[in-house]
Amino acid sequence: MSQDELLVLIYRKDEKAFTHLYDMYAKSLFSVISVLIKNTEEAEDVLQEVFVKIWKNLDTYNESKGRFYTWILNIARNTSIDKLRSKNFNNSQKNLSSDNFVNLLEDSNKLTSKVDGIGMQEFIKRLKPKCIQIIDLLFFKGYTQQEAAEELEIPLGTVKTHNRNCINDLRNYLKV
């Protein structure tokens, strides 16, 4: 099923469409979510929340503003960041046992292969070191642009400009 056919079915709220939507995008969205949410169970919960948001908010998708995949990727990223910033999530992280830290370390070792699985790591490695640093902070660590500016000790406007230029470089590498 093509993406366009899928969108038509989703707009009609066809139940089969949800299954197709999940099958087409779950792995790549989970990879993105897992970069930010290190706990697998929490990442799975966020993935479920993302698909519910996609299903309920499809009428807000505007094809003229970007690709569908980019739209759902932003939903996944923003939902993950919201989860990271939530009070309940922060409190649950304070109560982790040492066993969980071992699992987190093991999961982070698998992280590189997950990102490589969607092919992004190779493209990001081609960018300038400053771009790699900014993309890492903004997209993989969930920093806001303001937080990235403070971390890098550069003006907010510079972070925004670098981010825009870096994303354009990445698009050129990806031929998007």
Side-chain angles (χ1 to χ4, degrees), residues 95-111:
N95 298 324
L96 290 176
S97 71
S98 60
D99 293 337
N100 285 332
F101 288 107
V102 173
N103 292 336
L104 288 173
L105 291 173
E106 289 171 1
D107 286 348
S108 69
N109 291 336
K110 297 175 190 172
L111 179 62

Side-chain angles (χ1 to χ4, degrees), residues 1 5-22 55 58:
M1 176 180 296
E5 293 170 330
L6 177 63
L7 288 173
V8 169
L9 292 175
I10 293 173
Y11 281 123
R12 292 183 193 158
K13 298 296 183 187
D14 184 312
E15 291 182 21
K16 293 179 192 174
F18 189 81
T19 302
H20 288 293
L21 176 71
Y22 186 86
W55 186 256
L58 187 68

Side-chain angles (χ1 to χ4, degrees), residues 3 7 24-32 54 61 66-76 118 120:
Q3 181 178 298
L7 288 173
M24 287 176 74
Y25 298 109
K27 286 182 183 178
S28 59
L29 292 180
F30 186 73
S31 294
V32 170
I54 292 168
Y61 168 63
R67 296 181 4 200
F68 179 70
Y69 181 72
T70 305
W71 183 72
I72 65 173
L73 201 57
N74 282 329
I75 292 173
I118 60 173
M120 292 302 296

Side-chain angles (χ1 to χ4, degrees):
M1 176 180 296
S2 75
Q3 181 178 298
D4 292 335
E5 293 170 330
L6 177 63
L7 288 173
V8 169
L9 292 175
I10 293 173
Y11 281 123
R12 292 183 193 158
K13 298 296 183 187
D14 184 312
E15 291 182 21
K16 293 179 192 174
F18 189 81
T19 302
H20 288 293
L21 176 71
Y22 186 86
D23 291 343
M24 287 176 74
Y25 298 109
K27 286 182 183 178
S28 59
L29 292 180
F30 186 73
S31 294
V32 170
I33 293 166
S34 296
V35 168
L36 294 168
I37 309 289
K38 307 294 189 228
N39 180 302
T40 304
E41 288 177 16
E42 294 285 346
E44 288 169 351
D45 289 345
V46 170
L47 180 66
Q48 181 179 358
E49 187 178 335
V50 165
F51 276 101
V52 170
K53 284 182 178 181
I54 292 168
W55 186 256
K56 287 183 175 181
N57 298 310
L58 187 68
D59 56 329
T60 65
Y61 168 63
N62 185 343
E63 194 173 312
S64 67
K65 289 185 177 180
R67 296 181 4 200
F68 179 70
Y69 181 72
T70 305
W71 183 72
I72 65 173
L73 201 57
N74 282 329
I75 292 173
R77 181 180 168 275
N78 292 339
T79 304
S80 299
I81 291 170
D82 289 346
K83 180 68 168 183
L84 286 172
R85 293 182 180 163
S86 73
K87 189 174 184 178
N88 289 339
F89 183 79
N90 287 328
N91 287 339
S92 72
Q93 297 306 299
K94 290 177 185 174
N95 298 324
L96 290 176
S97 71
S98 60
D99 293 337
N100 285 332
F101 288 107
V102 173
N103 292 336
L104 288 173
L105 291 173
E106 289 171 1
D107 286 348
S108 69
N109 291 336
K110 297 175 190 172
L111 179 62
T112 304
S113 64
K114 287 180 187 176
V115 173
D116 265 350
I118 60 173
M120 292 302 296
Q121 189 114 27
E122 288 306 311
F123 291 106
I124 291 171
K125 285 180 185 175
R126 295 181 189 175
L127 296 171
K128 298 173 204 158
K130 190 59 122 179
C131 286
I132 293 170
Q133 194 176 27
I134 287 174
I135 287 176
D136 181 54
L137 291 174
L138 295 176
F139 295 95
F140 294 116
K141 293 185 177 168
Y143 281 46
T144 64
Q145 290 180 338
Q146 180 65 47
E147 291 167 338
E150 291 168 7
E151 176 75 19
L152 299 172
E153 298 178 348
I154 58 177
L156 176 60
T158 304
V159 169
K160 290 179 178 184
T161 301
H162 282 317
N163 183 38
R164 183 174 49 252
N165 292 338
C166 295
I167 295 301
N168 285 335
D169 290 347
L170 196 54
R171 281 187 183 125
N172 289 334
Y173 290 137
L174 296 170
K175 309 261 190 277
V176 178

